[in-house]
Amino acid sequence: QQQVKQSPQSLIVQKGGISIINCAYENTAFDYFPWYQQFPGKGPALLIAIRPDVSEKKEGRFTISFNKSAKQFSLHIMDSQPGDSATYFCAAREEGGKLIFGQGTELSVKP
Amino acid sequence: GAGVSQSPSNKVTEKGKDVELRCDPISGHTALYWYRQSLGQGLEFLIYFQGNSAPDKSGLPSDRFSAERTGGSVSTLTIQRTQQEDSAVYLCASSLDHPGTAYGYTFGSGTRLTVV
């Protein structure tokens, strides 16, 4: 059973456009929702994170929108750049501390 | 150290051989995690160490997989009698994680294991 579902699997966006990646979860006990960015040959790196008592968090061009009632959250990348091309993972943390990851979205930003 | 260090970065082994993968977490991080990433796939949880508590081994795919963490620091993931389906990138992460806090994981660059 996949606890965190991520979509789309891949995404192509023009430079300057908005990239949107969506995630849905089932377990209402999750207490922390981070997004990770992974470049080829590297481990994932924490990008931005949100707690379930907040509906939106913005850091620079990156924004998380969180809908607790719908059990959904999304990552928006404004003014997308070719350097943003990477694989993005959403995740949700169980009470014990373990992160459950989505399947990943491969983002390609075309110049 | 400054980051999570994993070794080796690449490992090619013959089917049936045992392999050991090493993870050096960030100094002072109490939690250590192992994940597996197969080609084009997400991150599959394997095992989690938190302080002196018993490890959460719920993600280990078979009894051929085991891990230990010595002295609350370095961890070794061992795969016995490797199979071709074990080929993947094995990622280690550490954190200051405590339930209720918002600390994120810091990942190493992984060990790419190829079983031939």
Side-chain angles (χ1 to χ4, degrees), chain A residues 21-94:
Chain A
I21 305 170
N22 300 299
C23 284
Y25 63 96
E26 293 295 324
N27 187 347
T28 56
F30 289 146
D31 67 354
Y32 173 65
F33 299 86
W35 285 87
Y36 283 80
Q37 179 188 56
Q38 184 180 31
F39 293 105
K42 302 292 186 183
L46 179 63
L47 186 62
I48 186 172
I50 198 167
R51 299 182 69 98
D53 53 349
V54 176
S55 61
E56 185 175 282
K57 183 172 182 180
K58 183 175 181 180
E59 289 184 0
R61 296 185 294 109
F62 300 90
T63 299
I64 300 177
S65 297
F66 190 86
N67 185 330
K68 190 173 182 177
S69 61
K71 292 187 285 186
Q72 294 176 347
F73 59 112
S74 60
L75 175 70
H76 291 62
I77 305 174
M78 312 299 288
D79 186 27
S80 298
Q81 299 297 312
D84 296 330
S85 298
T87 300
Y88 292 81
F89 293 95
C90 64
R93 189 175 70 181
E94 296 183 339

